[in-house]
Amino acid sequence: MALERITIDYAAVAELLHSPEFEQEIRAVAEKVGEAARASGHVVTSGEPLPIDVYSDPDADRVGWSVAIRHPAGLGMEARYGLLKRAAETAGLSAEAEQDDGA
């Protein structure tokens, strides 16, 4: 079987990753994850809903959106309930922990 040569148009890929249409899609998924996390009904000790933030988080090579629990209880909520992981799965995403390769 002969190998075919593939040429990647890096400028076109960069243009796509910075496009308003791509950002709109990424933002919509992040909002869906945030809504699913909020719908879990978790509260902090004051009785207020656990704050779930959806925010623009671009990088030099792409647009981006993140979902986070920026509250002291956030780490514990994620560890105990997997709140954001479950919300991401509800939105059709796969959430995996990063592996530290020790390098």
Side-chain angles (χ1 to χ4, degrees):
M1 178 175 192
L3 295 176
E4 303 251 348
R5 183 171 180 88
I6 297 174
T7 304
I8 298 173
D9 184 344
Y10 290 101
V13 171
E15 184 178 333
L16 170 71
L17 293 176
H18 285 93
S19 71
E21 296 84 6
F22 184 70
E23 181 170 18
Q24 183 178 14
E25 291 297 319
I26 298 300
R27 181 179 185 174
V29 172
E31 292 288 352
K32 188 174 179 182
V33 171
E35 289 171 16
R38 289 183 198 104
S40 69
H42 290 284
V43 296
V44 296
T45 55
S46 68
E48 294 291 318
L50 181 67
I52 310 291
D53 296 325
V54 178
Y55 58 95
S56 178
D57 188 19
D59 199 339
D61 62 347
R62 51 116 184 110
V63 298
W65 283 80
S66 290
V67 182
I69 305 170
R70 294 187 199 179
H71 186 276
L75 186 59
M77 291 281 192
E78 185 61 29
R80 184 168 185 181
Y81 304 109
L83 186 60
L84 294 178
K85 182 176 193 264
R86 290 175 192 254
E89 290 169 350
T90 298
L93 302 173
S94 173
E96 301 296 328
E98 288 186 26
Q99 296 294 321
D100 183 6
D101 62 4

